[in-house]
Amino acid sequence: MAAMENAEQGLVDQWRDLLAVHARTVSELDRALHQHGLCASDFEVLDVLAGCAASDDAGAYRVQEIADRVHLSQSALSRLIGRLEKDGLVERCMCPQDRRGVRVSLTPKGRTLHGDVLPVQRAVLGRMLADRPGG
């Protein structure tokens, strides 16, 4: 019985360690990206879209495809995309295959900002995750 409780406590401790690393990393990303007018979630969306543009996916994703890659609710993601669109970093267009669907892509301004900020984000990740197992 004690061995099972110890194993469970070990899992709980690992989980809490992961949450703490995540919270510290997001906080550091927000601080570093703030000077560029972005937060960590903004950058994640730009980064996903930049990866899409680098693939042969016509440079655009449906909102649901972005939601599958970032950890935001659909409504929070829609608000974030609206902000990025207002700032001229992304644009929305109708999906040609499904007229009810909306696709999102980077604008030239968004592509430039992503390229400028990418080294900042990667440096923070490197610094914050360097001492983690597998890091």
Side-chain angles (χ1 to χ4, degrees):
M1 186 75 157
M4 187 184 313
E5 288 175 9
N6 286 341
E8 286 179 10
Q9 188 59 49
L11 288 174
V12 170
D13 291 345
Q14 278 185 292
W15 173 243
R16 290 183 179 149
D17 287 347
L18 284 171
L19 291 175
V21 168
H22 178 266
R24 284 191 305 269
T25 303
V26 169
S27 178
E28 184 64 18
L29 285 168
D30 283 342
R31 188 193 64 71
L33 298 173
H34 179 75
Q35 62 191 334
H36 300 278
L38 299 172
C39 68
S41 295
D42 296 339
F43 181 83
E44 282 303 313
V45 170
L46 296 179
D47 202 40
V48 165
L49 291 172
C52 174
S55 74
D56 57 350
D57 203 359
Y61 275 138
R62 292 178 65 146
V63 174
Q64 184 58 48
E65 292 172 310
I66 299 169
D68 291 344
R69 290 168 172 79
V70 298
H71 301 286
L72 295 172
S73 69
Q74 186 112 14
S75 62
L77 178 59
S78 291
R79 287 190 303 274
L80 188 151
I81 289 170
R83 253 190 353 267
L84 295 175
E85 185 176 37
K86 182 178 161 223
D87 292 342
L89 302 174
V90 303
E91 58 190 358
R92 295 185 237 202
C93 62
M94 297 306 294
C95 178
Q97 297 83 9
D98 178 1
R99 296 182 52 114
R100 295 169 296 164
V102 175
R103 294 179 73 80
V104 181
S105 62
L106 286 176
T107 63
K109 179 180 177 183
R111 225 178 335 279
T112 298
L113 180 60
H114 175 265
D116 292 347
V117 176
L118 181 65
V120 173
Q121 190 258 8
R122 297 303 199 255
V124 170
L125 291 182
R127 188 170 64 253
M128 298 302 291
L129 302 176
D131 295 331
R132 299 291 307 156

